[in-house]
Amino acid sequence: MAPVELKEDLYWVGAVDWRIRDFHGYSTKKGSTYNAFLAMDEKITLFDTVKKPFLSDYLHNIRRITDPAKIDYLIVNHVEMDHSGWLPEGGGLVKPEKIFCSAMGKKAMVDHFHMEDWPYEVVKTGDTIRLGRRSVQFIETRMLHWPDSMFSYIPEDRLLISSDAFGQHWATTERFDDEVDVSELFMHAAKYYGNILLLYSPLVQKLLQSVGEMGIALDMIAPDHGLIWRSHPGKILEAYDRWSRQETKPKALIVYDTMWHSTEMMAKAILDGLVQEGISCQLLDLQGNHRSDVMTEALDAKALIFGSSTLNNGMLPRVADMLCYMKGLRPANRIGGAFGSYGWSGEAVKQIQAVLEEAKFQIVDPGISVKYVPAHEDLRKCIEWGRKIGRAVRETQ
Ligand code: FEO
């Protein structure tokens, strides 16, 4: 994809990854982009780089604007390999006079690339450098989502280069938020938040507050993945505020795997009970729903209910995978529940409930189990169990 001018003499020069389908466990069904930016000023400056396989795409884009050897400064907002994998080879061609990064960014680059003698220039929150017509202010965003992460803010352009924050994994030919379907854009942004940033929500709240106090004027937010926010920067900031408060709706997910459809029969009856209490509910079979799509839906769901048959004295492997993934992302203030069928031992329900308790979910009623195949009376109990959870959800709203 050719460079695109964001602001006068400031260009997107990144790469579009149409093929990626898995981002360490996150399903990137529509690919991604690795955004990087080039400011043509007295000091020609690159903001971030790209993943290693995109070395030539990136160099080609830079060469459409300038000779890479003329680049003076490189700003590394984040060292994860999707934004720095280009560095060992590409950095040798650019040979920047200075590489600006946070203190943790320098450590991370040394640990990744083992180059002690690169021209690192460590910056911290509040530091400003002059490029010429424009300046760059740095804002450290430690643990959002790595220790090294930081933002670069250009006040003259009212532009925030926000690294992973506000990003989306979505490969497109368009570069700006107003060139795509906004509801799909926010779905991708929500998926990104739910699968990458949810566990850091308390830090996101603090960051939003401190950015507010700094009085930063913004008319564009340029993340390192996906579309650039030029028409809806306020809306994505509002969404981050809402998501990081872990605000939920009267909505329940029933997430399950099943061996011979008995657990599935229970899932449907529990759904009936929830719906009778006016709760919006989704049935998410883990044979057909990816863990990262479940987390997207979980972002605003008050109740997360998990079902599994018992297999080999434990839960089914897809349910174990889902619970491990979800627990790491730390959804808070949720109501939980466990259910499932069994043949003779029936450990799965207790194991699921133990995970939910460890994750500090509110357990409204102990898990519900059925031997082999549910009879009509068992399904009636599942409906009642669903209604009880539904009433608890309503009481919290
Ligand atoms: Fe897009 Fe944390 O890397």
Side-chain angles (χ1 to χ4, degrees):
M1 289 292 304
V4 173
E5 194 170 37
L6 268 63
K7 296 280 182 177
E8 190 183 348
D9 289 332
L10 198 150
Y11 302 86
W12 175 91
V13 287
V16 180
D17 187 346
W18 297 99
R19 296 181 63 197
I20 188 168
R21 290 294 177 268
D22 178 87
F23 207 103
H24 34 246
Y26 176 146
S27 155
T28 48
K29 284 182 279 199
K30 289 205 168 178
S32 191
T33 71
Y34 312 111
N35 297 340
F37 308 96
L38 176 65
M40 296 299 295
D41 215 314
E42 287 168 32
K43 291 290 185 186
I44 299 177
T45 302
L46 261 183
F47 296 81
D48 301 320
T49 72
V50 297
K51 208 173 176 179
K52 190 174 181 178
F54 296 88
L55 179 95
S56 59
D57 301 53
Y58 188 47
L59 273 177
H60 183 52
N61 271 349
I62 294 169
R63 283 190 177 119
R64 288 175 171 195
I65 298 164
T66 189
D67 176 355
K70 290 185 176 166
I71 290 168
D72 299 291
Y73 292 166
L74 174 60
I75 294 174
V76 176
N77 285 308
H78 180 28
V79 183
E80 191 164 7
M81 289 288 206
D82 50 334
H83 309 295
S84 74
W86 180 91
L87 271 175
E89 211 169 328
L93 299 170
V94 169
K95 291 194 179 64
E97 177 191 328
K98 291 180 180 177
I99 298 177
F100 294 94
C101 58
S102 64
M104 297 306 282
K106 178 181 173 184
K107 281 187 186 166
M109 271 188 273
V110 171
D111 287 342
H112 277 73
F113 308 120
H114 315 292
M115 298 297 288
E116 301 269 359
D117 60 347
W118 282 358
Y120 303 109
E121 195 77 19
V122 169
V123 291
K124 59 184 186 311
T125 296
D127 286 353
T128 300
I129 59 169
R130 262 244 78 84
L131 307 186
R133 182 186 76 74
R134 55 171 65 81
S135 58
V136 183
Q137 295 175 7
F138 299 101
I139 303 166
E140 289 173 273
T141 58
R142 199 179 269 215
M143 292 318 299
L144 288 175
H145 69 127
W146 274 25
D148 57 279
S149 301
M150 66 177 193
F151 291 168
S152 295
Y153 173 62
I154 302 174
E156 295 80 2
D157 292 322
R158 299 162 67 99
L159 167 67
L160 182 70
I161 295 174
S162 62
S163 188
D164 279 326
F166 313 115
Q168 330 93 45
H169 286 308
W170 190 13
T172 53
T173 50
E174 295 76 15
R175 295 278 69 84
F176 296 103
D177 56 353
D178 48 26
E179 298 173 320
V180 296
D181 179 83
V182 174
S183 58
E184 184 168 5
L185 174 63
F186 272 90
M187 184 280 290
H188 288 296
K191 182 171 183 177
Y192 193 96
Y193 190 91
N195 283 275
I196 294 181
L197 295 172
L198 183 62
L199 72 162
Y200 302 116
S201 288
L203 294 175
V204 174
Q205 271 294 307
K206 278 190 190 160
L207 178 70
L208 292 174
Q209 277 169 18
S210 59
V211 166
E213 284 160 15
M214 287 161 86
I216 282 178
L218 274 182
D219 61 26
M220 194 180 284
I221 300 175
D224 277 359
H225 295 289
L227 283 300
I228 293 158
W229 302 94
R230 74 172 172 192
S231 287
H232 307 293
K235 278 190 185 164
I236 188 64
L237 286 167
E238 278 168 27
Y240 264 53
D241 183 39
R242 195 169 60 249
W243 295 332
S244 59
R245 287 179 196 279
Q246 300 229 26
E247 284 181 9
T248 55
K249 294 178 182 168
K251 168 179 165 183
L253 306 185
I254 301 175
V255 183
Y256 70 97
D257 197 3
T258 190
M259 287 171 68
W260 295 105
H261 302 289
S262 292
T263 300
E264 186 169 60
M265 288 167 74
M266 296 175 74
K268 288 177 179 172
I270 293 164
L271 176 138
D272 279 350
L274 283 153
V275 171
Q276 283 176 29
E277 294 297 331
I279 306 301
S280 171
C281 194
Q282 290 188 34
L283 209 58
L284 299 173
D285 167 11
L286 286 170
Q287 293 181 33
N289 290 281
H290 193 271
R291 65 175 89 80
S292 54
D293 294 320
V294 172
M295 284 313 300
T296 311
E297 290 299 333
L299 194 54
D300 61 0
K302 183 68 186 177
L304 305 175
I305 301 163
F306 293 87
S308 176
S309 327
T310 292
L311 175 74
N312 303 334
N313 305 107
M315 62 184 95
L316 288 167
R318 288 187 191 88
V319 180
D321 170 286
M322 183 69 240
L323 287 169
C324 172
Y325 187 72
M326 180 203 72
K327 195 175 156 213
L329 288 163
R330 296 186 211 161
N333 312 318
R334 301 306 207 276
I335 289 172
F339 68 96
S341 75
Y342 68 100
W344 49 96
S345 55
E347 290 90 343
V349 170
K350 280 187 186 155
Q351 290 176 6
I352 292 170
Q353 189 165 311
V355 175
L356 298 178
E357 282 167 352
E358 261 180 65
K360 301 192 167 40
F361 279 41
Q362 180 195 344
I363 304 296
V364 175
D365 213 28
I368 184 164
S369 302
V370 167
K371 194 164 187 181
Y372 286 120
V373 178
H376 181 73
E377 183 57 20
D378 296 316
L379 293 176
R380 199 190 56 74
K381 284 181 187 162
C382 288
I383 292 171
E384 280 312 309
W385 191 77
R387 289 192 66 175
K388 197 164 180 183
I389 293 178
R391 286 194 291 275
V393 170
R394 274 202 284 122
E395 280 164 15
T396 64
Q397 301 296 309

